[in-house]
């Protein structure tokens, strides 16, 4: 197994810091072309003692990015524009010292993060304090979309950053099609098209889009296109000739004359309502999501209804092995097993309990008792705790078509949870499948993992109300994600074995679940999260709070994870580039 994935070589552009050389809070502004991917750049700080730190910057989805943060004394700054962004399509505009009044006003917009940052500062945790304060300085709620966009919006530069390919100007047009030609709203639509930086467009209102188009886009009367919309779409098709569909984002009227963003979840871009599609006879597959707002809707959209997949076990119902690593804590394991044996509606179920040297009387009695059940097998897993190795060995003693890895502090709440997981896991192209996990108080513990969240990876919507619908209804439907937690993870046995199982060498305790999902993804298998499998998770209750050894282990395994998956961590393909990586609920950055 390869220890470190081959990453792209970064291209570092030095940040000139005239007027902001000393230590302090600074504001950095930079711009990128509309014609390149909307990705997050990386800021590198080289310290006088030779040490380095890197910070993931906000993606310049509106043409410009803004970052506010702490610059240490003597630090030299450089920016890597990111994958797919040549240096001549990126510009460092300005770095300036953040005035005290501006600093305070920004912090007051996010009082909770600011307060936590100040408390960490008082406690002597300076690095943590600065990270939290930087999050307070950079993040905006979705309700502040107008202000956020105005601060980052720049006009197209067709002679500069946004210069088109010569062949794009001579190619076929993007055809914008609508109906009801007498509607007065088409005047505003036509004006927005006449202001395009690229002239390769045509508007048709008679239902005849024509076969000579590069792509078709459906519009409603009064819809307006961003000035760079045509150029951006033309470039996307030119960059990848095999594309059939290019999805993009929109905004719409909100309360009190504001605008409300309609960001698509990148993993669902093939179902996005705003798209440019090749005419019949062109490529039949392939799509991308640009992550840019190219359309300003004239009227609010109908709120989407989250589709719910019918719960049906695959036919015939495939055998399932549930692997549960455990050590002592009979109270936790007893509740977990009871929820599986008494409240789970699945016929072909077998439980493999991997016992890591339990020595408490209550635990030994429970293990002896459950071993008498023909559905349960207790296997020894002696030695130092290595979650990945224990799971690999226990899974190897089963024969089920599907393997479900389950923590001993997880309790099923819904009889159909396993059916929901299996229904997804057996589908072609699906790799790992994760469940909706709740804390005992009913708030969300797991709804999918986002790479880069909280520096390396984090749980989206952690501590949100259990009944929350999420942005765009994301918590009410099956959704593709980069990774799911191993606290409840289902995967086909053949796929698990094909990638070598969990990496017990690099990630014995932490990050092994995320690493597994990413390695499955490298082979083309999607990781899915479903809200139809609902369980309760106490989160590490059996292991307790980490001591000094656990803290060191976390740091080492985190460093190994970052080294292996650096490029994916910076730009999670299933999380919108406009969203902050410092907050577990979607906020603008």
């Amino acid at each position: 197994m390869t220890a470190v994935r081959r990453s792209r070589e970064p291209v570092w552009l030095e940040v000139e810091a005239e007027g902001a050389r000393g230590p302090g809070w600074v504001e950095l502004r930079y711009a990128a072309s509309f014609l390149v991917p909307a990705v997050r750049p990386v800021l590198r700080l080289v310290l006088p003692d030779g040490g380095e730190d890197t910070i993931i910057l906000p993606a310049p989805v509106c043409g410009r990015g803004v970052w506010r943060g702490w610059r240490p004394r003597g630090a030299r700054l450089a920016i890597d524009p990111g994958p797919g962004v040549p240096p001549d399509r990126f510009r460092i505009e300005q770095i300036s010292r953040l005035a005290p009044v501006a600093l305070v006003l920004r912090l007051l917009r996010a009082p909770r993060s600011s307060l936590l940052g100040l408390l960490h500062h008082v406690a002597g945790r300076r690095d943590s304090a600065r990270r939290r304060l930087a999050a307070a300085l950079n993040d905006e709620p979705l309700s502040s979309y107008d202000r956020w966009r105005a601060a980052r919006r720049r006009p197209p530069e067709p002679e500069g950053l946004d210069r088109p390919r010569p062949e794009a100007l001579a190619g076929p047009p993007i055809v914008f099609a609508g109906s009801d030609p007498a509607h007065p709203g088409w005047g505003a639509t036509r004006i927005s098209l006449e202001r395009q930086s690229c002239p390769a467009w045509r508007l048709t209102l008679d239902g005849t889009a024509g076969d000579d188009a590069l792509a078709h886009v459906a519009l409603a009367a009064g819809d307006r296109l961003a000035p760079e919309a045509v150029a951006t779409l033309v470039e996307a098709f030119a960059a990848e000739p095999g594309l059939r569909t290019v999805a993009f984002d929109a905004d719409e009227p909100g309360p009190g004359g504001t605008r409300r963003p309609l960001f698509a979840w990148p993993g669902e871009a093939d179902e996005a309502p705003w798209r440019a599609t090749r005419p019949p006879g062109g490529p039949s597959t392939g799509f991308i999501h640009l992550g840019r707002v190219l359309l300003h809707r004239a009227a609010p959209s109908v709120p989407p209804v989250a589709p719910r997949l019918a719960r049906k076990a695959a036919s015939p119902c495939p055998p399932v092995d549930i692997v549960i690593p455990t050590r002592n804590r009979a109270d936790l394991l007893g509740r977990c097993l009871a929820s599986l044996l008494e409240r789970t509606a699945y016929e072909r179920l077998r439980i493999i309990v991997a016992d890591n040297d339990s020595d408490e009387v209550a635990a030994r009695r429970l293990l002896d008792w459950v071993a008498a059940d023909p559905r349960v097998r207790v296997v020894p897993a002696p030695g130092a705790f290595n979650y990945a190795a224990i799971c690999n060995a226990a899974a190897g003693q089963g024969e089920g078509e599907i393997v479900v890895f389950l923590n001993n502090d997880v309790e099923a709440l819904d009889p159909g949870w396993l059916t929901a997981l299996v229904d997804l896991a057996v589908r072609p192209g699906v790799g790992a499948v994760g469940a909706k996990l709740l804390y005992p108080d009913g708030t969300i513990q797991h709804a999918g993992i986002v790479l880069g969240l909280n520096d390396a990876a984090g749980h989206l919507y952690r501590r949100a109300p259990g009944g929350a619908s999420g942005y765009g209804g994301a918590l009410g439907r099956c959704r593709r994600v980069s990774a799911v937690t191993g606290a409840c993870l289902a995967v086909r046995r053949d796929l698990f074995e094909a990638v070598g199982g969990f990496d017990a060498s690099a990630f014995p305790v932490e990050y092994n679940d995320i690493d597994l999902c990413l390695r499955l993804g490298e082979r083309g298998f999607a990781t899915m999260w479903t809200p139809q499998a609902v369980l309760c998770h106490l989160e590490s209750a059996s292991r307790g709070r980490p001591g000094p050894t656990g803290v060191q282990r976390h740091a080492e395994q985190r460093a190994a994870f970052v080294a292996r998956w650096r490029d994916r961590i910076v730009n999670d393909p299933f999380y919108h580039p406009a969203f902050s990586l410092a907050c577990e609920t979607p906020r603008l950055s």
Side-chain angles (χ1 to χ4, degrees):
M1 184 178 296
T2 303
V4 178
R5 261 38 181 191
R6 179 176 295 175
S7 299
R8 57 172 288 274
E9 197 65 32
V11 178
W12 296 110
L13 308 178
E14 186 174 356
V15 178
E16 297 293 338
E18 293 296 335
R21 289 190 177 277
W25 294 96
V26 297
E27 180 177 275
L28 173 65
R29 290 178 172 266
Y30 47 93
S33 173
F34 291 114
L35 309 186
V36 298
V39 296
R40 295 180 174 91
V42 173
L43 176 67
R44 181 177 68 180
L45 297 91
V46 181
L47 306 177
D49 62 2
E52 288 189 6
D53 192 12
T54 56
I55 298 170
I56 302 175
L57 299 178
V61 296
C62 298
R64 176 177 288 120
V66 180
W67 174 81
R68 304 172 187 90
W70 179 262
R71 181 186 180 178
R73 181 183 299 275
R76 291 182 290 110
L77 278 59
I79 296 180
D80 172 25
V85 185
D88 63 344
R89 297 284 187 171
F90 189 88
R91 179 175 66 230
I92 300 169
E93 296 190 330
Q94 181 185 20
I95 182 170
S96 58
R97 194 174 302 280
L98 202 56
V101 173
L103 176 65
V104 171
L105 291 176
R106 291 288 316 180
L107 292 176
L108 289 175
R109 293 182 184 178
R112 184 175 181 275
S113 294
S114 301
L115 177 60
L116 287 173
L118 293 173
L119 290 175
H120 283 216
H121 180 79
V122 171
R125 301 165 62 183
R126 301 297 175 85
D127 290 341
S128 174
R130 286 168 181 164
R131 283 197 299 269
R132 290 184 179 275
L133 291 174
L137 289 171
N138 288 294
D139 294 354
E140 298 268 9
L142 290 167
S143 58
S144 297
Y145 168 71
D146 286 340
R147 179 176 63 195
W148 171 84
R149 186 172 183 273
R152 292 154 180 81
R153 176 70 193 162
R154 66 168 179 82
E157 303 173 23
E159 304 299 325
L161 286 179
D162 308 311
R163 59 190 179 281
R165 301 179 188 222
E167 60 269 25
L169 298 175
I174 302 285
V175 173
F176 297 92
S179 59
D180 190 11
H183 195 290
W186 288 116
T189 303
R190 187 175 294 277
I191 290 174
S192 74
L193 286 168
E194 291 171 348
R195 293 175 177 171
Q196 291 296 304
S197 60
C198 175
W201 62 269
R202 185 169 72 234
L203 176 65
T204 175
L205 305 178
D206 59 4
T208 58
D211 295 332
D212 62 335
L214 174 62
H216 299 150
V217 177
L219 295 180
D223 288 351
R224 295 173 293 110
L225 281 302
E228 69 277 4
V230 172
T232 303
L233 293 173
V234 168
E235 175 63 24
F237 283 112
E240 297 190 45
L243 285 177
R244 171 171 172 74
T245 301
V246 175
F248 51 91
D249 296 324
D251 60 27
E252 66 179 11
T258 62
R259 304 291 297 181
R260 179 168 48 211
L262 301 170
F263 296 129
W265 286 96
E268 302 171 355
D270 57 330
E271 301 174 2
W274 301 285
R275 53 172 62 199
T277 305
R278 297 269 201 179
S284 58
T285 60
F287 70 88
I288 60 169
H289 173 242
L290 294 178
R292 300 188 188 277
V293 173
L294 301 183
L295 177 66
H296 306 298
R297 298 273 296 161
S301 306
V302 177
V305 177
R308 296 190 64 86
L309 297 176
R311 268 194 195 153
K312 61 181 192 315
S315 181
C317 179
V320 174
D321 290 331
I322 299 181
V323 173
I324 307 174
T326 192
R327 174 181 168 84
N328 294 321
R329 294 306 303 265
D331 54 334
L332 298 177
L333 181 61
R335 288 199 297 269
C336 175
L337 291 173
S339 73
L340 300 180
L341 297 173
E342 301 171 10
R343 300 196 300 274
T344 296
Y346 199 90
E347 294 181 0
R348 305 178 70 184
L349 165 65
R350 188 180 188 188
I351 300 170
I352 302 174
V353 179
D355 176 35
N356 182 220
D357 295 330
S358 293
D359 53 11
E360 294 178 358
V361 173
R364 296 305 318 165
R365 286 176 178 172
L366 175 62
L367 291 171
D368 291 342
W369 180 73
V370 298
D373 191 310
R375 297 169 293 176
V376 181
R377 181 181 178 189
V378 179
V379 299
F385 180 72
N386 183 319
Y387 175 89
I390 291 171
C391 286
N392 288 343
Q397 298 196 39
E399 298 177 351
E401 180 181 335
I402 304 296
V403 182
V404 175
F405 297 97
L406 196 69
N407 281 14
N408 67 349
D409 57 357
V410 171
E411 183 178 355
L413 301 178
D414 176 6
W417 71 275
L418 188 52
T419 299
L421 290 182
V422 172
D423 179 49
L424 281 174
V426 299
R427 298 187 181 193
V430 172
V433 181
K436 179 178 181 179
L437 303 182
L438 304 177
Y439 287 109
D441 64 2
T443 59
I444 293 173
Q445 189 269 333
H446 173 261
I449 291 174
V450 173
L451 303 180
L453 193 62
N454 299 328
D455 292 336
H459 289 199
L460 188 62
Y461 283 107
R462 192 176 72 89
R463 287 296 182 188
S469 60
Y471 183 78
L475 294 177
R477 61 176 178 269
C478 298
R479 193 175 80 254
R480 186 171 182 182
V481 294
S482 281
V484 293
T485 177
C488 180
L489 184 154
V491 62
R492 279 172 30 204
R493 176 178 295 277
D494 61 332
L495 297 182
F496 183 71
E497 294 175 348
V499 298
F502 293 114
D503 187 340
S505 176
F507 309 111
V509 178
E510 302 182 55
Y511 297 105
N512 43 60
D513 45 5
I514 307 175
D515 175 73
L516 172 70
C517 294
L518 295 178
R519 285 187 286 116
L520 288 168
E522 281 189 328
R523 298 196 177 201
F525 294 97
T527 296
M528 303 296 297
W529 174 83
T530 175
Q532 294 185 288
V534 184
L535 303 94
C536 178
H537 184 206
L538 298 183
E539 192 175 25
S540 302
S542 58
R543 286 191 287 140
R545 299 180 65 86
T549 302
V551 172
Q552 180 181 355
R553 180 189 65 212
H554 169 79
E556 291 172 351
Q557 294 180 36
R558 179 191 177 280
F561 176 74
V562 171
R564 179 176 292 187
W565 298 107
R566 188 180 309 276
D567 289 346
R568 288 292 299 273
I569 289 171
V570 174
N571 288 288
D572 187 322
F574 306 111
Y575 199 56
H576 200 285
F579 289 157
S580 167
L581 293 178
C583 184
E584 292 162 335
T585 55
R587 287 172 64 91
L588 301 168
S589 178

